[in-house]
Amino acid sequence: MHRPISLMALATTAIATTLATPAFATTREEQPSVTTPSAASTEIKPPVAEKRAHSYTVHGITVEDPYDWLYDKSYPTVDDEDVLNHIKAENAYFEAKMAGQAAFTEALFTEMRARIKEDDSTVPQKDGDYLYWSEFEEGAQYRKHWRKPVAGGEAELLLDENQMAEGQEYFRLGAASVSENGRFLAYATDTNGSERYTARIKDLQTGELLPDTIENLRGDLVWVKNDTALVYGPSTEEWRTLEARMHVIGTPVESDVTLYKEEDQSFGVGTGLTSQKDWLIIGAGDNETSEVRLVPADNPTAAPILVKARKKGVEYSVDVRDGELWVWTNDDHINFRLAKAKLATPGDWQTVIAGSDDFYLTGFDLFKDFFVTEGRLGGLDQIQLRRYDDPAQITTITFPEASYTAGLSNNPEYDVSKLRLAYQSMVTPATVYDYDVKTAKLETLKTQEIPSGYDPSLYVSERLTVQARDGTMVPVSIVMRKDRAEILKKAGIEGPGPLHLYAYGAYGYAIPPGFSTTRLSLVDRGFAYAIAHIRGGDDLGRRWYLGGKLFERTNTFNDFVDVGRGLIAKGYTAEGKVTASGGSAGGELMGAIINQDPSQYGAIVAHVPFVDVVNTMLNEKLPLTPGEWQEWGNPITDKAAFAYMLSYSPYDQVVAKDYPPMLVTAGLNDPRVTYWEPAKWVAKLRELKTDDNLLLMKTNMGAGHGGQSGRWNSLKETAEEFAFILWQMGMAPKSEGE
């Protein structure tokens, strides 16, 4: 979609394919016999990391850090034998302890896979002279990407990810973009999980790869200069994107032209095209401030138009329609407004839609005859169509359920009469609609198919609020079986059943109440599954996000703990029967909640957890640190930020007490949360915890932040996670030797 660059995209420099939207994945299973967790393999002892004296003093405060040696100072190269040997020992311990659950893990994997339509494909979408889609073949790990002429003709294979992934331990397709004339395909691949992509260009007429190769790429690939050049974002050694660079096809990469270079190391740079594809947008921003420049797409080296100079705390993104600038900004309201300006005076913004305390405006899209605003009202997704001549006249697309997630899907063309939408809820599988703008009718194009069977009438979804300790009412979305009580009784579980609680709570990212087929492996066994819409996300607007960052960060952790306690009080579960999981910043959340209230939880899974907060925020050489100070605070210059961060940093707050059973994951090549954060955390937990509960760590040696690539490899890791949870909750079948 040629939509305005969002600030969050600039801040994270996310890489996404534009060839086609993802195909659906799906899920079901049988009820196993119930046993209690076993002490099998008790002769296998967990690795004990050596303590090596190390301390540092900041703002007069001295911190002891005896596991600092697990940070290989030659990173991103990790070749310290002591470090590698310790990580391998942890992996061996993980394999040994999980060996007794191998059959159960395989059974979970089989039932999860049975819910997935293996030969699945996306709904074709028109873009210019072609229809584009992607598909999985039966048994395949990766996608094939196709197109077909709208006028008729044979389907054309653009990329076969399976072929590209052959011989690779890891493979991920990043940015992918077809030139406007339809002849060339630029795409980027990552083969080790480091998110440093390599871009190639394929001539779709001949099927040959051009000799042009761009290494160390981050960000999008944008065609400009009448399809003769690509704009991309190179990565620095520190894994930052500080430039917008242009490569003219057929010329040496060494001669590529820098269109814009950012001097502030905390900013990231991203690029895109306007809806009519006539302007190249060059955006720079961090987590709270942005700045945008425009250059003609047919003359990218022309003098740029600076829309408005950066001002701390002011975010904005832009699009252009018929020479008129449209701006989404929070300059005068926390929940953003929509404004317009003339290109001759781009900083003179005149309000089109004023900011609202009730409606949270999250973005907009321009089309030829109308424009679309998206946002949330009371935390619920809204899609609104508006007329250019009367923006106050709103047509809201309505959906039947009380709780759901919906938004624009892949809409690459400017002149359209139908909009492609995506919809799902916690009980309704992912659905693709076309919305007819004239008739206001929704046409269902595809509903996620679950081959092993799924009956939505067996499930109930609820949305309720739980009061946090400071009086704030926190929304919670829950799904469970209607016959949950009977399932638990049949399984021999007395009293309230288990509940799995999930959240993220950072960067203003709201966890949508969407559908999951893998989740059914818990729910069909009697679990309630809850999403806590805690502060730090923007579920209830921008203030909700700000209420969980910087010096309000601990609200996020308190909200999660209090939601769990509230659900216990309401009878959904009981003390020690709450399981929880989170990844990255959500992994930090897991570390904080077990330090605060460990007895609530029966099992914890922390994926690539950001737990060594203070050390990471003190290390400005690390890839993301300068850009993260706006989110967490800068402990280098701010004593108060240092002290506050130290007060909640999960690694620093580990003490001698009982902790729940835990599974922790890491990626050796992870540039976002470096491998040593979970490694140090687990080492310290092993040293200080006073319980005999299982603590496992698994490090993917050839992958990064997202774990293993390929849909089956990824699914297998989810099966491992659920096997661990069910095992620790006494809901796994007996293993050999028990």
Side-chain angles (χ1 to χ4, degrees), residues 170-187:
Y170 178 96
F171 175 83
R172 192 170 300 279
L173 179 68
S177 180
V178 177
S179 60
E180 190 69 17
N181 61 17
R183 176 169 179 177
F184 297 105
L185 166 63
Y187 65 91

Side-chain angles (χ1 to χ4, degrees), residues 660-714:
M662 295 178 60
L663 169 61
V664 181
T665 69
L668 193 66
N669 299 328
D670 188 347
R672 297 179 183 268
V673 177
T674 50
Y675 76 88
W676 61 81
E677 293 205 37
K680 290 172 63 178
W681 184 45
V682 168
K684 192 171 184 180
L685 282 165
R686 290 208 192 285
E687 174 199 353
L688 295 177
K689 74 189 191 80
T690 55
D691 59 83
D692 294 324
N693 291 327
L694 192 58
L695 172 59
L696 299 178
M697 186 176 82
K698 175 186 177 181
T699 301
N700 280 309
M701 304 301 284
H705 199 61
Q708 293 188 29
S709 63
R711 59 174 173 165
W712 307 134
N713 293 339
S714 178

